[in-house]
Amino acid sequence: MDLRRLKQVITYGWKDACEINNYENVNKSKIGLFIDILHCFFKYNVWSSQYKKEKLYALESLHRKDICVKYQEKNSKRDKWVKEFFANYKFLNKWSSFKYEKSPGKQAKRRNAYKKQYGLGDNCFIGYDVILHKHHFSDETITMGSNCQISEHVNIDYTGGLKVGNGVGILEGVKILTHGHDYLGIKKDEDLLPNSKRAFFSPLEIADNVTLGSHVIIMPGVHYIGKGSIISAGSVVTKRIPDNVIVAGNPAKVIGSLEGVNLYSRNNNN
């Protein structure tokens, strides 16, 4: 445990012990409550706020243990996610830096680092300032096939889960969102994550040979970008995109078809 976390445990533990002693009818002193809070934390990873909410100080030992074990599983999962979250930003702070643009050798080191960190496919180009991240204690992952391109200043949120096929081009400034927030309370409670400020997940699949033009935004709620489709620069995608089409606009709409076009010939000619 780091010093920052230990300081939090002591500060909030004492604060909650004082509040319980002042406002609840308990037989324990402030010191006794504080020691009991620390015991629950170090043995079961139960926070002082949870100790206070569940009134653990007033429960019989077996009932108290059952509650503590449930919180232990939940809090341990959260702590693991938090650790990975900050480790990811430490990774990005290093490898997304412009200094890895200075030579082909440094660019190769960046590509290898991203491949290992996120499980990307072979021969994927990664520009600088490429941010891949997830929020709300998500267990979801990102997968990417081979021969893909992610250009500079791309921001990819894979909170809801993201699957990217082979030969996909993600050009500079693209933003991909796979979670959102139900601020208006429209969605049903069962569709939302617990304790997540009404966040909802939105899994997305980007099929083979898709091109996302410069500064495209993929909004939450989009679950599929069709094989071989081209999303024109600056488009805002708000719904499912079929295979082999050209889309443009805000909101993005189909403006052309690529049916029958040899995608590999088209790419080679360009």
Side-chain angles (χ1 to χ4, degrees), residues 101 107 111 123-128 147-152:
E101 292 290 294
Q107 290 177 357
R111 291 195 296 271
N123 302 315
C124 289
F125 173 84
I126 307 293
Y128 69 94
N147 302 308
C148 294
Q149 173 183 347
I150 308 180
S151 299
E152 61 270 19

Side-chain angles (χ1 to χ4, degrees), residues 93 112 169:
N93 186 56
N112 289 333

Side-chain angles (χ1 to χ4, degrees), residues 70-82:
K70 290 179 181 178
Y71 274 111
Q72 183 178 37
E73 182 179 356
K74 175 183 176 181
N75 292 345
S76 296
K77 180 180 177 181
R78 179 191 182 279
D79 289 346
K80 179 177 180 292
W81 182 91
V82 169

Side-chain angles (χ1 to χ4, degrees), residues 1-10 41-42 45:
M1 179 189 299
D2 60 32
L3 290 176
R4 180 188 64 84
R5 183 66 176 131
L6 181 60
K7 182 179 179 181
Q8 285 180 328
V9 171
I10 293 172
F41 175 79
F42 286 108
N45 195 23

Side-chain angles (χ1 to χ4, degrees), residues 1-2 25 53 74 91-92 94 114 117 120 130 140 147 156 168 181 201 221 227 230 238 245 255 257 265:
M1 179 189 299
D2 60 32
N25 184 19
K53 174 185 175 182
K74 175 183 176 181
F91 170 89
L92 292 171
K94 175 181 178 180
Y114 272 78
Q117 177 79 357
L120 309 185
V130 170
E140 299 296 334
N147 302 308
I156 297 177
V168 172
H181 296 85
F201 286 5
K227 181 178 180 180
I230 298 175
T238 60
V245 295
I255 62 171
S257 174
S265 296

Side-chain angles (χ1 to χ4, degrees), residues 11 41 67 98 128 138 151 161 170 175 201 224 228 241 253-254:
T11 301
F41 175 79
I67 293 175
F98 187 77
Y128 69 94
S138 168
S151 299
I170 303 175
K175 191 172 185 68
F201 286 5
Y224 182 74
I241 303 298
K253 297 180 180 179
V254 175

Side-chain angles (χ1 to χ4, degrees), residues 150-203:
I150 308 180
S151 299
E152 61 270 19
H153 308 309
V154 167
N155 190 307
I156 297 177
D157 154 40
Y158 62 98
T159 303
L162 177 61
K163 180 181 179 181
V164 181
N166 299 306
V168 172
I170 303 175
L171 304 186
E172 62 272 12
V174 166
K175 191 172 185 68
I176 297 174
L177 303 171
T178 63
H179 86 284
H181 296 85
D182 183 32
Y183 294 113
L184 299 179
I186 296 172
K187 287 184 173 289
K188 297 179 181 179
D189 288 341
E190 58 265 26
D191 294 330
L192 303 174
L193 291 173
N195 303 319
S196 61
K197 299 180 181 178
R198 303 191 67 80
F200 62 91
F201 286 5
S202 177

